[in-house]
Amino acid sequence: MTHRSTKAEKETDVQLRQHLICAVLFNTGERGITISTRTRIFRLWDAIPRVPGVVECKWYSSTDPFFNRYPRAIKVKIYRIAAEDLEKHLQGAVPLIRNGHTISVGNGR
């Protein structure tokens, strides 16, 4: 049996979960995000910067329930988001850095 969450259910989901977030800036000035699964983060880390129009990618870890409404990606899928919403919900996020096949917590944003 499967169940698809409604928009209302997604918006009221307040369970704390870890999210691996790629915050994207497009050449149009628009912002976007991808929420990665743990198993695909390296593939997405490499693929997202090659998407046409993407000029910047920054990765974060966050437990903000706001991100529960977005599916966890196994393929490149960037969701547009208002810059002010993104900034607001990345307030407590921890920046991530990649060194080869290791991802760790970075300093600053």
Side-chain angles (χ1 to χ4, degrees), residues 17-24 32-45 48 58-81 85-86 89-90 93 96:
R17 299 181 187 103
Q18 182 186 33
H19 301 285
L20 303 172
I21 305 158
C22 180
V24 173
I33 60 170
T34 297
I35 311 297
S36 177
T37 62
R38 285 182 177 272
T39 59
R40 299 298 173 111
I41 190 167
F42 290 105
R43 287 184 187 171
L44 293 172
W45 199 298
I48 292 172
K58 292 184 179 179
W59 285 85
Y60 301 94
S61 175
S62 173
T63 57
D64 187 325
F66 171 81
F67 297 108
N68 293 352
R69 66 186 70 191
Y70 295 96
R72 293 178 186 236
I74 58 173
K75 295 181 182 179
V76 175
K77 173 74 175 171
I78 302 171
Y79 295 90
R80 307 277 177 174
I81 184 171
D85 287 340
L86 182 60
H89 293 287
L90 285 179
L96 300 176

Side-chain angles (χ1 to χ4, degrees), residues 10-22:
K10 289 179 183 178
E11 290 175 355
T12 59
D13 181 357
V14 294
Q15 183 177 356
L16 295 180
R17 299 181 187 103
Q18 182 186 33
H19 301 285
L20 303 172
I21 305 158
C22 180

